[in-house]
């Protein structure tokens, strides 16, 4: 049995980044079905796991740290 390639996904509800299997849909932290593998501009989230502090998409500049304003 081989291990599947992990994908960095962000939960748009609670804002957590984690490594998931490509088919995973539910957040490990809050359980919501709002995982996204990339920013709205199409930039994937692989860079985000090792970053600290304020986090912005390096392609479009959108803030990606914390909860989405829709859920606050």
């Amino acid at each position: 049995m081989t291990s599947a390639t992990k994908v960095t996904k962000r939960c748009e509800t609670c804002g957590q980044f984690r490594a998931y299997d490509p088919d995973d849909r539910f957040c490990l932290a809050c359980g919501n079905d709002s995982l996204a593998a990339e920013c709205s501009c199409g930039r994937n989230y692989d860079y985000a796991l090792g970053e600290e502090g304020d986090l912005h998409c390096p392609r479009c500049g959108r803030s990606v740290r914390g909860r989405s304003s829709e859920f606050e």
Side-chain angles (χ1 to χ4, degrees):
M1 179 178 254
T2 62
S3 69
T5 301
K6 298 289 184 179
V7 176
T8 302
K9 294 186 180 185
R10 176 181 180 261
C11 176
E12 294 181 359
T13 301
C14 70
Q16 296 293 314
F17 289 92
R18 294 186 189 277
Y20 289 93
D21 287 339
D23 294 335
D24 290 345
R25 295 178 301 151
F26 297 95
C27 176
L28 287 168
C30 70
N32 282 290
D33 182 9
S34 61
L35 291 180
E38 60 188 29
C39 180
S40 57
C41 72
R43 174 68 153 86
N44 66 31
Y45 286 133
D46 290 340
Y47 70 92
L49 285 181
E51 299 291 321
E52 294 183 19
D54 289 343
L55 188 60
H56 296 81
C57 175
R59 180 170 294 159
C60 69
R62 177 178 171 242
S63 176
V64 294
R65 178 69 77 202
R67 303 175 114 193
S68 171
S69 59
E70 294 177 25
F71 300 104
E72 291 183 323

